[in-house]
Amino acid sequence: MPAIFSEEERRGLRLRMLDIGWELLRDKGFRALRVEDVARRAGLAKGTFYHFFPSKDAFLQEMVAENRRELSSEVEGLLADEGRPDEARVRACLHEVWNSDRLVFRCVGLEDYRRVCLTLPEGFQLGPVAGSGIIGGLLERVAPGRDAEAHEVAMALQRVAALALMTEGVSDRATLDRVVDILIDDAVDVLFGRRDASGGPVREGAGRS
């Protein structure tokens, strides 16, 4: 007989399983993320897992979607005021996003990233590597259409940051984190006119907003 849970219990267990999913993804990687391990850590039978999620792929999709909803809420708060977002807040927001332990690029290598993408539904884009998404929307707001070149350079820097994180093993984590921090700062500098689109510094009094 399937376990019967109240709606509150179901919400709590669902969130607990998503938390466990991120823990396992960070610790073991995508291919070692197993339904039975998620269920066991949550104190459930393996069969009960499927009353919450129809498959491992659906579970992974919900992990990514839940994280995206949380990130969207943070970014919406940043963009709540009309006009161009404050430079310091944009910089802080990007650093927070890229240093999250639920950032998929921190949890998988490039090969597994491709595998994760294959599990996602058509039209669901995953982060700046895909070229749009939440970060793309934030950067577009900072650099509106008339600054398309600056926006594209900033997006390219974010893609490089994602790819850098997925090459762990080539360099140590601390070095990669430093590289990502530099790339974030460079992207913000381009968007706010502290660097031109070629990456060179803007002369004092020229090109600043």
Side-chain angles (χ1 to χ4, degrees):
M1 172 180 287
I4 298 174
F5 302 105
S6 68
E7 283 302 312
E8 183 177 356
E9 288 172 330
R10 285 186 64 84
R11 284 194 296 271
L13 284 168
R14 175 182 164 281
L15 291 174
R16 173 62 181 145
M17 284 191 282
L18 293 173
D19 288 344
I20 291 167
W22 283 107
E23 292 169 7
L24 291 171
L25 192 64
R26 288 193 302 270
D27 294 344
K28 298 187 175 183
F30 173 66
R31 281 168 287 186
L33 177 61
R34 303 190 307 167
V35 165
E36 50 265 47
D37 290 337
V38 175
R40 177 176 52 79
R41 290 199 185 189
L44 302 171
K46 178 180 177 180
T48 305
F49 172 95
Y50 295 106
H51 291 287
F52 291 84
F53 305 98
S55 65
K56 174 183 171 179
D57 284 356
F59 177 65
L60 187 65
Q61 290 168 21
E62 185 57 23
M63 285 172 58
V64 173
E66 180 74 14
N67 192 47
R68 177 169 288 189
R69 285 192 289 270
E70 292 176 359
L71 178 57
S72 293
S73 178
E74 293 177 14
V75 171
E76 285 170 8
L78 179 66
L79 301 179
D81 298 330
E82 293 185 3
R84 197 180 200 191
D86 174 77
E87 177 181 348
R89 293 179 66 195
V90 171
R91 196 181 299 272
C93 180
L94 287 175
H95 278 288
E96 183 175 350
V97 168
W98 283 100
N99 284 287
S100 169
D101 61 2
R102 294 195 177 192
L103 184 69
V104 70
F105 309 118
R106 288 187 173 276
C107 300
V108 300
L110 189 56
E111 182 180 349
D112 279 348
Y113 169 79
R114 294 191 181 104
R115 293 174 182 267
V116 169
C117 287
L118 290 175
T119 73
L120 300 175
E122 186 176 356
F124 192 108
Q125 295 185 318
L126 186 58
V129 174
S132 62
I134 295 166
I135 290 178
L138 171 60
L139 300 186
E140 175 64 30
R141 176 71 174 271
V142 175
R146 67 178 182 276
D147 299 320
E149 187 177 14
H151 175 262
E152 182 50 42
V153 169
M155 281 301 299
L157 289 166
Q158 299 297 282
R159 294 185 198 109
V160 173
L163 292 169
L165 286 174
M166 290 189 288
T167 61
E168 186 174 9
V170 175
S171 189
D172 62 274
R173 173 57 66 182
T175 299
L176 290 176
D177 285 345
R178 179 60 183 145
V179 168
V180 170
D181 284 343
I182 292 170
L183 290 167
I184 292 168
D185 288 335
D186 283 350
V188 175
D189 285 348
V190 168
L191 290 172
F192 283 89
R194 302 191 185 283
R195 292 178 184 270
D196 62 27
S198 68
V202 174
R203 295 190 307 275
E204 188 66 29
R208 299 219 177 175
S209 57

